[in-house]
Amino acid sequence: MGEDDHVIINTGAAGSQVFTQEYLLCWIQRELNSGKPLTDIVVSSYDVDGEMKEVQLTAEIWQHSLINGPSSRIFMPIWQSYTTALASRRIILSSSSKDEKFFQRCQNFVYDLHSFTKYQSRRRLEGTGHEYYLGKPYFEPAQVDAILSIEVMGGTVASNFASLLRRKPPPMIQYAPPMTLLLSLS
């Protein structure tokens, strides 16, 4: 592996860390796939003394160490996708926030999701008639469309929800006591 395959991340007063491009790229991809925001990713590795070191990939590190220099062709598309998604999200949320009740409705929505086991919360969520529980009483149809069109890493909110539904585990097989099975066979 040549020197061109290494990325030096300047961590300021703490010095610098060296990673292979492949290691860094795989780590970033894994964290993005788990839903972590790009600038919240913390990369861990051992230094030459065998000590565990962690580096948070802040916006500053992205701008100074990853998208500038010899590895920019690898990391620039990731950064551009992130900044485009961030700008899209800000535009959509700022237009939705003109509705003075938008943030209260968001809080109600999150509360009901968190309290799904409570009858009233579940009734409100299921009453939306929407597969992702978006809709009235939480959001107006135009807001639902805007929320689902928000760009995120790897697509839109709608495409990420669809992906989550595809990964949903199959329903559990219900246990039937042996006597019930015997009676059903006769």
Side-chain angles (χ1 to χ4, degrees):
M1 196 170 290
E3 275 189 36
D4 291 345
D5 296 334
H6 289 84
V7 178
I8 299 171
I9 295 180
N10 183 353
T11 56
S16 60
Q17 286 289 109
V18 179
F19 299 94
T20 64
Q21 289 176 3
E22 182 180 6
Y23 179 80
L24 203 51
L25 196 56
C26 287
W27 193 288
I28 291 167
Q29 204 58 53
R30 186 195 73 203
E31 294 293 291
L32 290 175
N33 288 343
S34 72
K36 188 166 273 192
L38 191 65
T39 55
D40 288 350
I41 294 173
V42 176
V43 182
S44 302
S45 73
Y46 292 99
D47 66 9
V48 292
D49 299 326
E51 195 174 320
M52 176 64 79
K53 297 289 184 180
E54 291 185 333
V55 177
Q56 182 173 347
L57 302 182
T58 63
E60 183 178 333
I61 285 179
W62 273 93
Q63 293 166 359
H64 295 287
S65 298
L66 297 174
I67 62 172
N68 288 305
S71 301
S72 64
R73 65 176 170 58
I74 293 171
F75 296 105
M76 182 60 87
I78 298 168
W79 180 253
Q80 286 175 329
S81 177
Y82 168 75
T83 56
T84 300
L86 193 59
S88 165
R89 190 174 358 197
R90 285 184 178 150
I91 290 167
I92 290 171
L93 290 177
S94 71
S95 68
S96 292
S97 66
K98 290 175 185 169
D99 171 0
E100 56 200 47
K101 294 182 181 179
F102 178 73
F103 289 109
Q104 181 60 51
R105 289 180 186 160
C106 289
Q107 289 175 337
N108 294 345
F109 178 63
V110 171
Y111 172 82
D112 282 348
L113 287 172
H114 182 72
S115 305
F116 190 77
T117 57
K118 294 180 181 175
Y119 173 76
Q120 290 295 329
S121 292
R122 187 172 51 254
R123 187 174 64 87
R124 279 190 297 272
L125 287 163
E126 290 175 348
T128 64
H130 192 275
E131 68 180 320
Y132 308 128
Y133 302 123
L134 300 173
K136 291 186 177 189
Y138 310 107
F139 307 107
E140 298 298 322
Q143 290 172 324
V144 171
D145 292 341
I147 290 167
L148 291 174
S149 71
I150 291 174
E151 290 183 43
V152 293
M153 295 294 291
T156 62
V157 169
S159 66
N160 280 4
F161 280 170
S163 175
L164 283 172
L165 285 178
R166 285 192 301 274
R167 292 191 310 199
K168 184 172 72 170
M172 299 209 30
I173 298 173
Q174 294 293 321
Y175 172 75
M179 196 60 170
T180 307
L181 290 174
L182 289 175
L183 293 174
S184 67
L185 293 175
S186 51

